[in-house]
Amino acid sequence: MRAVITGITGQDGSYLSEFLLARGYEVHGIVRRSSTLQRPRLDEYVNDQTLYGKRLFLHYSDLTDTTSLRRILSRIQPDEFYHLAGQSHVGLSFEIPESTCELTAMGTLRILEILRDIKPAPRFLHASSREIFGTPTISPQNEDTPVNPNSPYGAAKAFANQLVKVYRDSMGLFACNAICYNHESPRRSENFVTRKISIAAAGIKLGIRKELVLGSIDAVRDWGCATEFVDAMWRILQQPEPRDYILATGRTHTVREFMQYAFEHVGLNWVEHVRFDQKFQRPIEPENLRGDAARAHRELGWTPKISLRELAAMMVDHDLERLKRTA
Ligand code: NAP
Ligand code: GDP
């Protein structure tokens, strides 16, 4: 089996490539040009002579570069296409709405248009988001909950999410949305709140820093673990028919609870170290976000098992080790 992954250098892309390589796949990642060749989440695999250039390949392109995407896809002829790339930060999407929409919304349209011309087209998975629901009046949300985003990121994902349905229903593509609730890991980007907290807890424990500055700690999320989510993404493309699936734990926690788990793990009391700053406050906070993943449980046999406390401990341990090494 041959798979293409956009966003392979990101949190999910790196775990998914690991997952697929372990199952014998040939994996092709799309990477964009940057001023550094550092790809820390992929280093282990790129430095593995038995994999890189043999079963793992990286190709330069960009979600804005239709010509190179088309060329790469017609050369590779993949069986499966996992589209994970995009500007993934909700808060930042209020500051850079134009590029967020260009990459996340139009980028997805460009790929669907290319797939439409490939015969046979690969099975396609789009990493959609619970942000498409904005602040829903129904909780928990399922695949039939009305789309009503309230952030530029959510609006861009909603556009892409709806297009995936259009290309499935009208053009016959095997195209699916994984409507993902938050999922975290030691590879989470450092400007997401869980990673910000795990780095701070580790740094304060080691005496490298003194405080953590946050926005709203009463914000609530349905947080899961990224390794379990990429497993579900793969399962979606193994189904007999294409469908959309909610991927969520169905359990909600506050930022405050996550912080408590992370700090307690290293014997600290968060209250002594955390300060509020208005600049991390969002223009609008979604509420009532809790996913109902009953379809995924039933049809994919997927049940997330890792608790938020375990996830917090895993992330803090990783950052402790990393900070000790760099110190
Ligand atoms: P991430 O760590 O931020 O990774 C994003 C990936 O997109 C990176 O590989 C990035 O490349 C790539 N990318 C960004 N702009 C690009 C461009 N113009 N051309 C090509 N590649 C580009 O995100 P993630 O957490 O793995 O999430 C994966 C997907 O799931 C995203 O679409 C995200 O919006 C969606 N999602 C995630 C969550 C979550 O909780 N993690 C929840 C709902 C939905 P660089 O490394 O070069 O920056
Ligand atoms: P999101 O759900 O994709 O926006 O994930 P984030 O990790 O960025 O944010 C989760 C929640 O944490 C949001 O409700 C934020 O308002 C809240 N939060 C509080 N302080 C911070 C902070 O310093 N950084 C971030 N990123 N979020 C924060």
Side-chain angles (χ1 to χ4, degrees):
M1 292 291 280
R2 199 174 295 146
V4 165
I5 305 176
T6 70
I8 192 168
T9 53
Q11 170 187 258
D12 291 4
S14 61
Y15 283 122
L16 180 64
S17 55
E18 204 171 302
F19 181 96
L20 296 176
L21 287 168
R23 275 158 188 75
Y25 275 67
E26 184 178 302
V27 174
H28 294 259
I30 307 287
V31 293
R32 56 178 170 170
R33 195 266 161 188
S34 67
S35 63
T36 158
L37 286 180
Q38 304 301 310
R39 298 189 182 107
R41 296 181 180 109
L42 280 185
D43 273 354
E44 191 186 334
Y45 308 99
V46 169
N47 294 331
D48 183 339
Q49 303 293 317
T50 65
L51 282 180
Y52 193 56
K54 298 189 172 67
R55 282 205 298 123
L56 172 65
F57 303 84
L58 298 181
H59 307 267
Y60 277 112
S61 183
D62 196 291
L63 292 178
T64 55
D65 193 333
T66 315
T67 316
S68 61
L69 283 172
R70 188 178 286 277
R71 192 181 305 126
I72 291 167
L73 283 177
S74 54
R75 202 170 59 226
I76 298 171
Q77 305 236 321
D79 303 291
E80 294 173 7
F81 190 115
Y82 297 87
H83 175 39
L84 311 180
Q87 193 298 94
S88 65
H89 199 281
V90 179
L92 269 179
S93 78
F94 288 95
E95 289 174 41
I96 49 168
E98 217 174 300
S99 60
T100 300
C101 292
E102 183 57 45
L103 298 177
T104 298
M106 290 305 293
T108 306
L109 172 59
R110 287 186 193 103
I111 290 172
L112 287 166
E113 270 298 290
I114 295 170
L115 296 189
R116 191 180 161 188
D117 294 337
I118 298 182
K119 302 278 182 277
R123 293 184 166 205
F124 176 79
L125 180 127
H126 167 239
S128 180
S129 164
R130 48 84 194 157
E131 274 287 309
I132 64 173
F133 300 131
T135 296
T137 49
I138 306 158
S139 186
Q141 298 81 47
N142 65 23
E143 293 80 2
D144 300 320
T145 301
V147 167
N148 186 23
N150 58 7
S151 65
Y153 170 88
K157 282 286 185 196
F159 175 94
N161 189 89
Q162 297 305 93
L163 272 179
V164 167
K165 288 188 189 189
V166 170
Y167 277 69
R168 176 171 70 220
D169 297 340
S170 309
M171 324 249 182
L173 283 188
F174 192 110
C176 311
N177 288 299
I179 306 169
C180 299
Y181 284 60
N182 292 46
H183 46 280
E184 320 294 307
S185 75
R187 296 186 194 168
R188 186 61 145 151
S189 294
E190 299 178 4
N191 56 355
F192 285 86
V193 78
T194 54
R195 190 72 200 291
K196 217 174 141 177
I197 292 169
S198 70
I199 293 171
I204 294 168
K205 178 67 184 174
L206 294 175
I208 300 168
R209 60 187 280 182
K210 288 198 162 33
E211 67 171 8
L212 165 63
V213 186
L214 291 178
S216 167
I217 61 169
D218 293 318
V220 176
R221 287 291 183 280
D222 178 336
W223 276 296
C225 180
T227 50
E228 297 188 313
F229 276 55
V230 301
D231 174 342
M233 291 178 190
W234 174 77
R235 289 174 193 237
I236 291 174
L237 291 196
Q238 313 313 310
Q239 297 309 299
E241 298 298 331
R243 285 191 100 175
D244 297 341
Y245 291 88
I246 295 276
L247 301 182
T249 69
R251 299 182 295 269
T252 54
H253 295 270
T254 57
V255 171
R256 183 194 301 269
E257 282 173 287
F258 184 88
M259 206 155 49
Q260 188 187 331
Y261 299 153
F263 278 73
E264 272 178 11
H265 184 64
V266 285
L268 296 172
N269 180 0
W270 67 269
V271 178
E272 293 164 15
H273 304 282
V274 175
R275 185 164 63 77
F276 170 78
D277 191 322
Q278 182 71 36
K279 81 171 178 225
F280 296 113
Q281 196 89 351
R282 301 270 165 91
I284 185 162
E285 275 288 352
E287 286 171 23
N288 305 326
L289 281 176
R290 186 159 71 87
D292 173 4
R295 182 184 288 175
H297 298 317
R298 205 173 49 244
E299 296 181 10
L300 308 179
W302 180 76
T303 308
K305 297 190 178 67
I306 298 171
S307 72
L308 193 63
R309 191 185 277 278
E310 289 168 324
L311 180 58
M314 199 190 299
M315 292 173 69
V316 174
D317 284 342
H318 168 87
D319 283 317
L320 272 175
E321 284 312 307
R322 189 181 56 85
L323 289 174
K324 277 185 204 159
R325 269 201 312 276
T326 51

